[in-house]
Structures are given as C-alpha cells and as structure tokens.
Amino acid sequence: MSPFPATIFIEPTTACNLRCRMCPCHGAEKSVSLPPRFMDMALYMRVLDEAAAHNSGLGEMSINPQLRGEPLLHPEFPAMLREARLRGLRTTLSTNGTLLRGKALDAVAEYADYVFVSLDAVRPETYRSIRGADCRAAFDGIEALLERRGRKTTPAVYAAFVKLEENAGEREEFLDRWLARADGVLVYQERLPRGWYGDPNVPPPSPRPPCPHLQGSCAVLVGGEVTPCCFAVSESDALGTLGGGATLEEVYGGEGFARLRALHDAGRFSESALCAECNAYESYGPPVSIPGGLVLTNAFTTFFLKTP
C-alpha cells in the first residue's frame, strides 16, 4: 500500500442549489437540508501542497473537488481548479451543470481534466420531477462547456444519469443524445438504504475482497475530517482530522485507517458500521466493446465510453 492516497476527494462545500429527490444530503423529501458550509481556502491549499509533494513518486494523482454539495457554489472554485493544475494534479469534477457560465465555465474548460455533468433526464418535465428545477440551466451548461472545449480533448465531458422510476423510459434516448455529443455516459444505480447499489437481492461476490478504496483513496470533508472514501460523507465516518496541524499522510497512515484495513483483510466487514452492507467496493469488470466505444460495468455504475 502507498503511504499516500493517489485519489483525494476534497469537499469545497456542503451547499447545493438543487433538491434532487434521491440525494441523501439535499433530497426533496428531507425536511432539513444539509447546512451550507464552505471549505477554507487555506485548508484546501494545505491538501494540494501535500499532494503535490507526493505526486512525483506516485505518478498521476487525482484531486476530485466534490462530495455533498455543488462545488461551483464555492466563491473561490475557479482558483481551486487553477491551483491544482499549477501543481500538476489531475482534477475530476462532478457538477449539476447549472452554474457552468462566466468565470466558473472558464475555469472548468481551462483547468479540469474530467467533468461529469448530472442530468438524469431528457424531457423537461422528467428533469423537474427528479431535480426540482427547470432543466435549461443544466442543459445549457453542458452545451456551453462542450462548445468552449471545441476540438480539444480536455476536459473530457460525460453526462450522468441515475436510474430511477421517473426516467426509466428515457435511458436509451439519453444514451443516444449524449454519446453523440459528449465523451461518454455514466449510468448509476440508485443508492438504496444501507449503502447498497442495484438489486439488494443479488449477493456480493464470495468471498468478499478487501475494499480497493482503502488502498488508494480518501476524502477530506469541508471541516478537514478525513474519511476512507467518497461514499463516507458524514463527519461520523471520519478516521482522523487535519485539525491541529496533522498532515494527510499522518491521518492516512494512522490508527483509524489501519484498524479499518485490518478488518477488511480479516474479512470482518460486519464489524464496521460503515462497510458492513456496502457493495460499492466492486471494481469494473472487463471492458465490453460496442460500436464506437466500450462499456465498463460494476455493481453501481455502467460507464459508456466513446473511443476515437
């Protein structure tokens, strides 16, 4: 195991401008949305500087500025992307696309490497039923990004679609539209209670392997709490904190992470409330060729990728 994570999710903000009905943090059925908080730029820069110091030994390191909120709401988000690029760090971004305009659009087009735009629908009425808003800002946003990128290959732009009852009849049309316009489409299974994706009646692989997320990634929440993966998005999931001057390397190699890895290595998954009933550890299976591209599949996503 590397002493430092190769993929770091960093949470710019917990705030969001949509209320998507399936969202565990801001969903329309929640009576109280997650309180809005914004990461201090000094904390963000600490993580970037430490990642950059380790980058030469790990090769291409990924910084993913996203978690519970809409990252483009952070007032310094353009600077966040720029500073990552200046340090030679790859950035992967997930956004609802509604704020892809002005300086935010300029920064994403110039500094991001991979961008996933969550749309979930083809028809305006379906979008509204899922995301509680008019679809025009999101659709205009992804189109603006594709237009700004032009003939360049970066950022790679993907449209994202969560499989729900409301959009069940639009999946094929969504695929056709965005495989023609973007670089691919990511289809998510809806996340069910207890962290399970897809069909809860389908058992996981046996024997269950240790989770690969524990061997190469972590997440830094808005207040500096460090969790083991992008699925662990509550402060109660933290295995350490960057408060008090601790470094990310110290937390990642510390007692909390070591204890969780030991449980996984011993197959004692039931002893971790976070991991006991999660199936998000499954890696992609072998790629399957389709006309014009490839398909990658695991328990919670199907990734349609266009090939040159």
Side-chain angles (χ1 to χ4, degrees), residues 81 85 91-93 107-115 154-156:
L81 286 182
R85 172 60 64 87
T91 53
T92 298
L93 168 67
V108 172
E110 182 70 21
Y111 303 121
D113 294 286
Y114 304 95
V115 182
T154 56

PDB file of all heavy atoms in Angstrom, residues 81 85 91-93 107-115 154-156:
ATOM      1  N   LEU A  81      -9.495  25.045  -8.906  1.00  0.00           N
ATOM      2  CA  LEU A  81      -9.085  24.279 -10.084  1.00  0.00           C
ATOM      3  C   LEU A  81      -7.740  24.749 -10.611  1.00  0.00           C
ATOM      4  O   LEU A  81      -6.878  23.940 -10.972  1.00  0.00           O
ATOM      5  CB  LEU A  81     -10.143  24.401 -11.178  1.00  0.00           C
ATOM      6  CG  LEU A  81     -11.449  23.634 -10.998  1.00  0.00           C
ATOM      7  CD1 LEU A  81     -12.338  23.840 -12.218  1.00  0.00           C
ATOM      8  CD2 LEU A  81     -11.204  22.150 -10.791  1.00  0.00           C
ATOM      9  N   ARG A  85      -4.107  22.591 -11.050  1.00  0.00           N
ATOM     10  CA  ARG A  85      -3.400  22.460 -12.324  1.00  0.00           C
ATOM     11  C   ARG A  85      -1.961  22.975 -12.209  1.00  0.00           C
ATOM     12  O   ARG A  85      -1.029  22.355 -12.749  1.00  0.00           O
ATOM     13  CB  ARG A  85      -4.165  23.220 -13.406  1.00  0.00           C
ATOM     14  CG  ARG A  85      -3.437  23.325 -14.734  1.00  0.00           C
ATOM     15  CD  ARG A  85      -3.131  21.970 -15.374  1.00  0.00           C
ATOM     16  NE  ARG A  85      -4.344  21.251 -15.713  1.00  0.00           N
ATOM     17  CZ  ARG A  85      -5.004  21.401 -16.860  1.00  0.00           C
ATOM     18  NH1 ARG A  85      -4.580  22.270 -17.764  1.00  0.00           N
ATOM     19  NH2 ARG A  85      -6.087  20.693 -17.088  1.00  0.00           N
ATOM     20  N   THR A  91      -7.546  16.769 -12.159  1.00  0.00           N
ATOM     21  CA  THR A  91      -8.791  17.072 -11.459  1.00  0.00           C
ATOM     22  C   THR A  91      -9.975  16.397 -12.155  1.00  0.00           C
ATOM     23  O   THR A  91     -10.097  16.434 -13.378  1.00  0.00           O
ATOM     24  CB  THR A  91      -9.059  18.590 -11.388  1.00  0.00           C
ATOM     25  OG1 THR A  91      -8.994  19.152 -12.697  1.00  0.00           O
ATOM     26  CG2 THR A  91      -8.042  19.271 -10.483  1.00  0.00           C
ATOM     27  N   THR A  92     -10.820  15.786 -11.349  1.00  0.00           N
ATOM     28  CA  THR A  92     -12.062  15.174 -11.816  1.00  0.00           C
ATOM     29  C   THR A  92     -13.198  15.833 -11.058  1.00  0.00           C
ATOM     30  O   THR A  92     -13.173  15.907  -9.829  1.00  0.00           O
ATOM     31  CB  THR A  92     -12.055  13.659 -11.561  1.00  0.00           C
ATOM     32  OG1 THR A  92     -10.989  13.065 -12.302  1.00  0.00           O
ATOM     33  CG2 THR A  92     -13.378  13.029 -11.988  1.00  0.00           C
ATOM     34  N   LEU A  93     -14.199  16.290 -11.783  1.00  0.00           N
ATOM     35  CA  LEU A  93     -15.255  17.116 -11.212  1.00  0.00           C
ATOM     36  C   LEU A  93     -16.621  16.548 -11.550  1.00  0.00           C
ATOM     37  O   LEU A  93     -16.878  16.161 -12.686  1.00  0.00           O
ATOM     38  CB  LEU A  93     -15.131  18.535 -11.775  1.00  0.00           C
ATOM     39  CG  LEU A  93     -16.275  19.509 -11.544  1.00  0.00           C
ATOM     40  CD1 LEU A  93     -16.393  19.843 -10.066  1.00  0.00           C
ATOM     41  CD2 LEU A  93     -16.061  20.768 -12.367  1.00  0.00           C
ATOM     42  N   ALA A 107     -12.961  28.450 -15.921  1.00  0.00           N
ATOM     43  CA  ALA A 107     -12.033  27.648 -15.125  1.00  0.00           C
ATOM     44  C   ALA A 107     -12.175  26.165 -15.417  1.00  0.00           C
ATOM     45  O   ALA A 107     -11.186  25.441 -15.545  1.00  0.00           O
ATOM     46  CB  ALA A 107     -12.256  27.919 -13.634  1.00  0.00           C
ATOM     47  N   VAL A 108     -13.412  25.685 -15.510  1.00  0.00           N
ATOM     48  CA  VAL A 108     -13.622  24.264 -15.782  1.00  0.00           C
ATOM     49  C   VAL A 108     -13.069  23.904 -17.152  1.00  0.00           C
ATOM     50  O   VAL A 108     -12.400  22.879 -17.323  1.00  0.00           O
ATOM     51  CB  VAL A 108     -15.125  23.919 -15.672  1.00  0.00           C
ATOM     52  CG1 VAL A 108     -15.385  22.490 -16.150  1.00  0.00           C
ATOM     53  CG2 VAL A 108     -15.597  24.078 -14.233  1.00  0.00           C
ATOM     54  N   ALA A 109     -13.329  24.735 -18.153  1.00  0.00           N
ATOM     55  CA  ALA A 109     -12.836  24.465 -19.501  1.00  0.00           C
ATOM     56  C   ALA A 109     -11.314  24.511 -19.572  1.00  0.00           C
ATOM     57  O   ALA A 109     -10.698  23.764 -20.334  1.00  0.00           O
ATOM     58  CB  ALA A 109     -13.441  25.462 -20.484  1.00  0.00           C
ATOM     59  N   GLU A 110     -10.700  25.365 -18.763  1.00  0.00           N
ATOM     60  CA  GLU A 110      -9.251  25.548 -18.833  1.00  0.00           C
ATOM     61  C   GLU A 110      -8.477  24.575 -17.962  1.00  0.00           C
ATOM     62  O   GLU A 110      -7.401  24.093 -18.358  1.00  0.00           O
ATOM     63  CB  GLU A 110      -8.906  26.979 -18.409  1.00  0.00           C
ATOM     64  CG  GLU A 110      -7.425  27.322 -18.483  1.00  0.00           C
ATOM     65  CD  GLU A 110      -6.900  27.425 -19.905  1.00  0.00           C
ATOM     66  OE1 GLU A 110      -7.719  27.622 -20.821  1.00  0.00           O
ATOM     67  OE2 GLU A 110      -5.668  27.314 -20.095  1.00  0.00           O
ATOM     68  N   TYR A 111      -9.000  24.228 -16.785  1.00  0.00           N
ATOM     69  CA  TYR A 111      -8.178  23.525 -15.801  1.00  0.00           C
ATOM     70  C   TYR A 111      -8.653  22.113 -15.438  1.00  0.00           C
ATOM     71  O   TYR A 111      -7.868  21.339 -14.898  1.00  0.00           O
ATOM     72  CB  TYR A 111      -8.088  24.354 -14.521  1.00  0.00           C
ATOM     73  CG  TYR A 111      -7.544  25.739 -14.714  1.00  0.00           C
ATOM     74  CD1 TYR A 111      -8.284  26.865 -14.370  1.00  0.00           C
ATOM     75  CD2 TYR A 111      -6.272  25.931 -15.265  1.00  0.00           C
ATOM     76  CE1 TYR A 111      -7.781  28.140 -14.556  1.00  0.00           C
ATOM     77  CE2 TYR A 111      -5.764  27.209 -15.464  1.00  0.00           C
ATOM     78  CZ  TYR A 111      -6.529  28.312 -15.103  1.00  0.00           C
ATOM     79  OH  TYR A 111      -6.034  29.566 -15.293  1.00  0.00           O
ATOM     80  N   ALA A 112      -9.902  21.768 -15.669  1.00  0.00           N
ATOM     81  CA  ALA A 112     -10.377  20.433 -15.302  1.00  0.00           C
ATOM     82  C   ALA A 112      -9.919  19.405 -16.327  1.00  0.00           C
ATOM     83  O   ALA A 112      -9.724  19.716 -17.507  1.00  0.00           O
ATOM     84  CB  ALA A 112     -11.893  20.416 -15.183  1.00  0.00           C
ATOM     85  N   ASP A 113      -9.741  18.165 -15.882  1.00  0.00           N
ATOM     86  CA  ASP A 113      -9.371  17.074 -16.782  1.00  0.00           C
ATOM     87  C   ASP A 113     -10.561  16.205 -17.158  1.00  0.00           C
ATOM     88  O   ASP A 113     -10.666  15.758 -18.302  1.00  0.00           O
ATOM     89  CB  ASP A 113      -8.282  16.214 -16.124  1.00  0.00           C
ATOM     90  CG  ASP A 113      -6.984  16.978 -15.961  1.00  0.00           C
ATOM     91  OD1 ASP A 113      -6.295  17.190 -16.973  1.00  0.00           O
ATOM     92  OD2 ASP A 113      -6.666  17.380 -14.832  1.00  0.00           O
ATOM     93  N   TYR A 114     -11.438  15.950 -16.177  1.00  0.00           N
ATOM     94  CA  TYR A 114     -12.628  15.131 -16.412  1.00  0.00           C
ATOM     95  C   TYR A 114     -13.806  15.807 -15.731  1.00  0.00           C
ATOM     96  O   TYR A 114     -13.709  16.200 -14.568  1.00  0.00           O
ATOM     97  CB  TYR A 114     -12.459  13.718 -15.844  1.00  0.00           C
ATOM     98  CG  TYR A 114     -11.245  12.989 -16.370  1.00  0.00           C
ATOM     99  CD1 TYR A 114     -10.046  13.007 -15.663  1.00  0.00           C
ATOM    100  CD2 TYR A 114     -11.293  12.286 -17.572  1.00  0.00           C
ATOM    101  CE1 TYR A 114      -8.921  12.358 -16.135  1.00  0.00           C
ATOM    102  CE2 TYR A 114     -10.178  11.622 -18.050  1.00  0.00           C
ATOM    103  CZ  TYR A 114      -8.995  11.657 -17.334  1.00  0.00           C
ATOM    104  OH  TYR A 114      -7.886  11.015 -17.808  1.00  0.00           O
ATOM    105  N   VAL A 115     -14.933  15.912 -16.446  1.00  0.00           N
ATOM    106  CA  VAL A 115     -16.112  16.571 -15.899  1.00  0.00           C
ATOM    107  C   VAL A 115     -17.330  15.687 -16.130  1.00  0.00           C
ATOM    108  O   VAL A 115     -17.622  15.301 -17.270  1.00  0.00           O
ATOM    109  CB  VAL A 115     -16.357  17.949 -16.553  1.00  0.00           C
ATOM    110  CG1 VAL A 115     -17.571  18.630 -15.910  1.00  0.00           C
ATOM    111  CG2 VAL A 115     -15.122  18.832 -16.426  1.00  0.00           C
ATOM    112  N   THR A 154      -9.438  17.821 -23.817  1.00  0.00           N
ATOM    113  CA  THR A 154      -9.696  18.042 -22.396  1.00  0.00           C
ATOM    114  C   THR A 154     -10.426  19.362 -22.210  1.00  0.00           C
ATOM    115  O   THR A 154     -10.203  20.313 -22.958  1.00  0.00           O
ATOM    116  CB  THR A 154      -8.392  18.081 -21.578  1.00  0.00           C
ATOM    117  OG1 THR A 154      -7.520  19.083 -22.117  1.00  0.00           O
ATOM    118  CG2 THR A 154      -7.705  16.728 -21.593  1.00  0.00           C
ATOM    119  N   PRO A 155     -11.303  19.432 -21.210  1.00  0.00           N
ATOM    120  CA  PRO A 155     -11.640  18.307 -20.344  1.00  0.00           C
ATOM    121  C   PRO A 155     -12.516  17.283 -21.062  1.00  0.00           C
ATOM    122  O   PRO A 155     -13.307  17.639 -21.929  1.00  0.00           O
ATOM    123  CB  PRO A 155     -12.413  18.962 -19.198  1.00  0.00           C
ATOM    124  CG  PRO A 155     -13.055  20.162 -19.841  1.00  0.00           C
ATOM    125  CD  PRO A 155     -12.067  20.659 -20.856  1.00  0.00           C
ATOM    126  N   ALA A 156     -12.357  16.009 -20.685  1.00  0.00           N
ATOM    127  CA  ALA A 156     -13.307  15.000 -21.130  1.00  0.00           C
ATOM    128  C   ALA A 156     -14.628  15.276 -20.421  1.00  0.00           C
ATOM    129  O   ALA A 156     -14.647  15.516 -19.216  1.00  0.00           O
ATOM    130  CB  ALA A 156     -12.795  13.603 -20.810  1.00  0.00           C
TER     131      ALA A 156
END
